[in-house]
Amino acid sequence: MPRKRTEGTRAPNGASSIYLGNDGYWHGRVTVGVKDNGKPDRRHVQAKTEAEVIKKVRKLERERDAGTVRRPGQEWTVEKWVMHWYATIAVPNVRYKTRSYYWTAVDKYIVPGIGAHKLTRLEPEHIERFYARLRKEGAKSATLQQVHIALRASLNAAERRNRITRNPIRAVRSPKIEETEIEPLTVDDARAILRVAHDRRNGVRWGHRPRAGTAAGRGDRPQVDRPQGPVAPRLWCGGAVREEASGRLSVCPGHGNAHGPASVATADVAARLRPGQEVWSQAGR
């Protein structure tokens, strides 16, 4: 039977209430704050027994006191939230390349992978199993880190806005980037490539391509080991090959006219140049 208060008395403002409804269920109502329109935000719970509804009421009261009550409104899914985060939070505040970086992770991986989960019920184990599936499907470590960065940024924003009371990404370790060892070209291989490129149209441009596993368009310059010897410091040979004082040989990333002519070249370097090749100095860069 529902408990009745003594006649002439009432519960204090904001107090929780528990009662047995006409539908046969026990109901509880807890005031957790104020809505945007100024009216009390009063949450409702129900259960088949009084003991169950008391537990739910006490839980809401603890969340209210700790300031971790979920905001009112329709519950978000991960898909709905990350799309909202990307369009309204990330895009206006990050650079174009970062937007593209985030969008690939959101559209290609996060939404198909864990988008159906309720945002408030997403667990660290869900994320870890998601990463494990990506690895099994052949995703590279850099891709996993890209997904982790985008997911972490979106969940951090959800936490700041009280869409979630506990951020599951905090318990998930960031995927490590696995560095693959680059096998450099031999001196003979590099010279063979440059020899073929020399007689082709736009040969200087093709001379940039013997890269030791680096992405196209990057400025890093692969180096090719060669025996030590008395070599002139930092000379560019025909805008394509660099002779280092350490005896290392590497592909020049620039064009011949970007470097000033060398004032001097040692006999050791000059002996290795083909007829008609020019020598360029690093100092002119």
Side-chain angles (χ1 to χ4, degrees):
M1 294 293 294
R3 293 173 296 177
K4 293 185 178 180
R5 190 172 295 278
T6 304
E7 188 176 352
T9 64
R10 62 185 296 275
N13 290 336
S16 305
S17 60
I18 298 173
Y19 60 91
L20 179 63
N22 295 330
D23 56 1
Y25 284 87
W26 283 88
H27 298 264
R29 296 188 182 275
V30 182
T31 302
V32 297
V34 180
K35 296 180 181 179
D36 292 338
N37 60 8
K39 294 182 178 181
D41 183 4
R42 196 158 172 82
R43 304 292 176 89
H44 170 257
V45 293
Q46 71 177 49
K48 291 183 178 181
T49 67
E50 184 179 15
E52 288 179 291
V53 85
I54 288 174
K55 287 182 180 179
K56 293 183 177 182
V57 167
R58 297 293 178 260
K59 181 182 177 182
L60 265 178
E61 289 174 339
R62 287 193 299 270
E63 291 177 352
R64 175 196 62 195
D65 296 341
T68 58
V69 177
R70 183 179 59 84
R71 294 181 61 179
Q74 185 178 2
E75 191 170 3
W76 295 71
T77 62
V78 173
E79 176 181 3
K80 182 180 177 182
W81 171 254
V82 296
M83 296 297 285
H84 167 79
W85 163 79
Y86 176 79
T88 63
I89 301 174
V91 168
N93 297 293
V94 299
R95 298 178 179 179
Y96 172 77
K97 287 187 177 181
T98 306
R99 294 201 300 268
S100 301
Y101 185 83
Y102 282 158
W103 177 246
T104 300
V106 168
D107 183 59
K108 190 174 180 180
Y109 299 105
I110 296 175
V111 170
I114 54 174
H117 283 285
K118 296 293 185 182
L119 184 62
T120 56
R121 299 176 190 174
L122 186 65
E123 299 290 339
E125 292 76 17
H126 295 146
I127 300 173
E128 289 165 347
R129 286 195 290 267
F130 169 49
Y131 291 170
R133 288 199 306 272
L134 292 180
R135 288 191 190 95
K136 190 175 181 180
E137 293 169 2
K140 303 295 184 182
S141 58
T143 299
L144 290 172
Q145 190 172 69
Q146 177 182 6
V147 171
H148 184 79
I149 289 171
L151 184 59
R152 180 178 60 194
S154 64
L155 292 179
N156 285 346
E159 184 181 27
R160 288 193 298 270
R161 296 172 182 231
N162 293 327
R163 294 297 177 186
I164 55 177
T165 58
R166 180 181 54 82
N167 192 344
I169 200 73
R170 296 185 184 278
V172 180
R173 298 187 65 176
S174 175
K176 292 183 178 179
I177 291 289
E178 298 176 0
E179 297 184 0
T180 56
E181 185 177 353
I182 297 175
E183 184 178 351
L185 298 172
T186 65
V187 175
D188 291 338
D189 289 339
R191 285 176 174 164
I193 293 172
L194 295 173
R195 191 180 304 114
V196 173
H198 183 270
D199 298 326
R200 292 180 176 235
R201 183 187 178 195
N202 297 325
V204 172
R205 183 186 69 178
W206 287 101
H208 296 252
R209 304 306 296 172
R211 295 177 177 271
T214 57
R218 298 227 177 168
D220 39 358
R221 300 184 289 272
Q223 293 185 329
V224 183
D225 289 330
R226 59 169 298 167
Q228 297 291 329
V231 187
R234 293 189 176 276
L235 295 177
W236 294 94
C237 306
V241 180
R242 182 172 65 182
E243 300 281 358
E244 297 281 6
S246 63
R248 296 175 69 84
L249 176 70
S250 64
V251 177
C252 170
H255 300 286
N257 58 13
H259 310 287
S263 58
V264 90
T266 65
D268 184 65
V269 174
R272 290 197 295 272
L273 298 179
R274 297 197 308 273
Q277 279 190 296
E278 295 174 306
V279 181
W280 300 87
S281 171
Q282 176 76 351
R285 290 188 68 187

